[in-house]
PDB file of all heavy atoms in Angstrom:
ATOM      1  N   LYS H 266      38.355  13.070  26.663  1.00 71.00           N
ATOM      2  CA  LYS H 266      39.050  11.795  27.006  1.00 71.00           C
ATOM      3  C   LYS H 266      39.076  10.804  25.839  1.00 71.00           C
ATOM      4  O   LYS H 266      39.400   9.635  26.015  1.00 71.00           O
ATOM      5  CB  LYS H 266      38.333  11.170  28.205  1.00 71.00           C
ATOM      6  CG  LYS H 266      38.453  11.955  29.498  1.00 71.00           C
ATOM      7  CD  LYS H 266      37.742  11.296  30.634  1.00 71.00           C
ATOM      8  CE  LYS H 266      37.866  12.088  31.908  1.00 71.00           C
ATOM      9  NZ  LYS H 266      37.147  11.443  33.079  1.00 71.00           N
ATOM     10  N   THR H 267      38.608  11.241  24.651  1.00 72.00           N
ATOM     11  CA  THR H 267      38.718  10.347  23.495  1.00 72.00           C
ATOM     12  C   THR H 267      40.093  10.253  22.940  1.00 72.00           C
ATOM     13  O   THR H 267      41.039  10.911  23.482  1.00 72.00           O
ATOM     14  CB  THR H 267      37.740  10.898  22.397  1.00 72.00           C
ATOM     15  OG1 THR H 267      38.253  12.114  21.885  1.00 72.00           O
ATOM     16  CG2 THR H 267      36.365  11.102  22.921  1.00 72.00           C
ATOM     17  N   LEU H 268      40.307   9.431  21.948  1.00 70.00           N
ATOM     18  CA  LEU H 268      41.573   9.255  21.334  1.00 70.00           C
ATOM     19  C   LEU H 268      42.133  10.588  20.742  1.00 70.00           C
ATOM     20  O   LEU H 268      43.344  10.769  20.623  1.00 70.00           O
ATOM     21  CB  LEU H 268      41.534   8.219  20.186  1.00 70.00           C
ATOM     22  CG  LEU H 268      41.163   6.785  20.650  1.00 70.00           C
ATOM     23  CD1 LEU H 268      41.069   5.918  19.402  1.00 70.00           C
ATOM     24  CD2 LEU H 268      42.180   6.233  21.627  1.00 70.00           C
ATOM     25  N   PHE H 269      41.260  11.522  20.406  1.00 71.00           N
ATOM     26  CA  PHE H 269      41.660  12.761  19.790  1.00 71.00           C
ATOM     27  C   PHE H 269      41.907  13.865  20.787  1.00 71.00           C
ATOM     28  O   PHE H 269      42.340  14.964  20.450  1.00 71.00           O
ATOM     29  CB  PHE H 269      40.579  13.212  18.806  1.00 71.00           C
ATOM     30  CG  PHE H 269      40.340  12.197  17.734  1.00 71.00           C
ATOM     31  CD1 PHE H 269      39.236  11.331  17.812  1.00 71.00           C
ATOM     32  CD2 PHE H 269      41.171  12.040  16.622  1.00 71.00           C
ATOM     33  CE1 PHE H 269      38.991  10.385  16.844  1.00 71.00           C
ATOM     34  CE2 PHE H 269      40.894  11.085  15.695  1.00 71.00           C
ATOM     35  CZ  PHE H 269      39.858  10.238  15.805  1.00 71.00           C
ATOM     36  N   GLY H 270      41.642  13.576  22.056  1.00 70.00           N
ATOM     37  CA  GLY H 270      41.936  14.549  23.176  1.00 70.00           C
ATOM     38  C   GLY H 270      41.104  15.813  23.042  1.00 70.00           C
ATOM     39  O   GLY H 270      40.042  15.884  22.437  1.00 70.00           O
ATOM     40  N   ASN H 271      41.689  16.872  23.651  1.00 72.00           N
ATOM     41  CA  ASN H 271      41.041  18.196  23.673  1.00 72.00           C
ATOM     42  C   ASN H 271      41.362  18.935  22.397  1.00 72.00           C
ATOM     43  O   ASN H 271      42.266  19.752  22.306  1.00 72.00           O
ATOM     44  CB  ASN H 271      41.507  18.974  24.878  1.00 72.00           C
ATOM     45  CG  ASN H 271      40.691  20.246  25.097  1.00 72.00           C
ATOM     46  OD1 ASN H 271      39.884  20.597  24.250  1.00 72.00           O
ATOM     47  ND2 ASN H 271      40.868  20.884  26.220  1.00 72.00           N
ATOM     48  N   SER H 272      40.635  18.596  21.358  1.00 74.00           N
ATOM     49  CA  SER H 272      40.823  19.183  20.061  1.00 74.00           C
ATOM     50  C   SER H 272      39.460  19.360  19.359  1.00 74.00           C
ATOM     51  O   SER H 272      38.483  18.743  19.761  1.00 74.00           O
ATOM     52  CB  SER H 272      41.740  18.312  19.194  1.00 74.00           C
ATOM     53  OG  SER H 272      41.063  17.120  18.879  1.00 74.00           O
ATOM     54  N   PRO H 273      39.410  20.163  18.302  1.00 75.00           N
ATOM     55  CA  PRO H 273      38.107  20.317  17.609  1.00 75.00           C
ATOM     56  C   PRO H 273      37.553  18.953  17.104  1.00 75.00           C
ATOM     57  O   PRO H 273      36.373  18.637  17.203  1.00 75.00           O
ATOM     58  CB  PRO H 273      38.448  21.217  16.434  1.00 75.00           C
ATOM     59  CG  PRO H 273      39.592  22.065  16.913  1.00 75.00           C
ATOM     60  CD  PRO H 273      40.371  21.151  17.749  1.00 75.00           C
ATOM     61  N   LEU H 274      38.463  18.115  16.612  1.00 73.00           N
ATOM     62  CA  LEU H 274      38.064  16.748  16.130  1.00 73.00           C
ATOM     63  C   LEU H 274      37.621  15.906  17.321  1.00 73.00           C
ATOM     64  O   LEU H 274      36.608  15.139  17.213  1.00 73.00           O
ATOM     65  CB  LEU H 274      39.218  16.072  15.381  1.00 73.00           C
ATOM     66  CG  LEU H 274      38.909  14.710  14.781  1.00 73.00           C
ATOM     67  CD1 LEU H 274      37.787  14.846  13.782  1.00 73.00           C
ATOM     68  CD2 LEU H 274      40.138  14.120  14.097  1.00 73.00           C
ATOM     69  N   GLY H 275      38.264  16.045  18.461  1.00 71.00           N
ATOM     70  CA  GLY H 275      37.892  15.308  19.628  1.00 71.00           C
ATOM     71  C   GLY H 275      36.486  15.651  20.108  1.00 71.00           C
ATOM     72  O   GLY H 275      35.679  14.804  20.422  1.00 71.00           O
ATOM     73  N   LEU H 276      36.235  16.981  20.161  1.00 74.00           N
ATOM     74  CA  LEU H 276      34.923  17.429  20.579  1.00 74.00           C
ATOM     75  C   LEU H 276      33.858  16.996  19.621  1.00 74.00           C
ATOM     76  O   LEU H 276      32.713  16.674  19.973  1.00 74.00           O
ATOM     77  CB  LEU H 276      34.921  18.944  20.762  1.00 74.00           C
ATOM     78  CG  LEU H 276      35.764  19.506  21.882  1.00 74.00           C
ATOM     79  CD1 LEU H 276      35.576  21.022  21.940  1.00 74.00           C
ATOM     80  CD2 LEU H 276      35.398  18.873  23.209  1.00 74.00           C
ATOM     81  N   LEU H 277      34.168  16.999  18.311  1.00 72.00           N
ATOM     82  CA  LEU H 277      33.215  16.548  17.311  1.00 72.00           C
ATOM     83  C   LEU H 277      32.921  15.103  17.433  1.00 72.00           C
ATOM     84  O   LEU H 277      31.710  14.713  17.422  1.00 72.00           O
ATOM     85  CB  LEU H 277      33.765  16.855  15.899  1.00 72.00           C
ATOM     86  CG  LEU H 277      32.946  16.336  14.719  1.00 72.00           C
ATOM     87  CD1 LEU H 277      31.590  16.996  14.705  1.00 72.00           C
ATOM     88  CD2 LEU H 277      33.639  16.633  13.411  1.00 72.00           C
ATOM     89  N   MET H 278      33.921  14.301  17.562  1.00 70.00           N
ATOM     90  CA  MET H 278      33.680  12.847  17.637  1.00 70.00           C
ATOM     91  C   MET H 278      32.959  12.445  18.919  1.00 70.00           C
ATOM     92  O   MET H 278      32.124  11.566  18.939  1.00 70.00           O
ATOM     93  CB  MET H 278      35.020  12.071  17.576  1.00 70.00           C
ATOM     94  CG  MET H 278      35.690  12.130  16.184  1.00 70.00           C
ATOM     95  SD  MET H 278      34.643  11.420  14.919  1.00 70.00           S
ATOM     96  CE  MET H 278      35.679  11.577  13.475  1.00 70.00           C
ATOM     97  N   ALA H 279      33.325  13.147  20.035  1.00 69.00           N
ATOM     98  CA  ALA H 279      32.642  12.847  21.282  1.00 69.00           C
ATOM     99  C   ALA H 279      31.247  13.478  21.395  1.00 69.00           C
ATOM    100  O   ALA H 279      30.349  12.930  21.971  1.00 69.00           O
ATOM    101  CB  ALA H 279      33.521  13.288  22.484  1.00 69.00           C
TER     102      ALA H 279
END
Side-chain angles (χ1 to χ4, degrees):
K266 295 179 179 179
T267 67
L268 297 177
F269 303 99
N271 191 350
S272 66
L274 184 59
L276 292 183
L277 174 62
M278 290 301 182

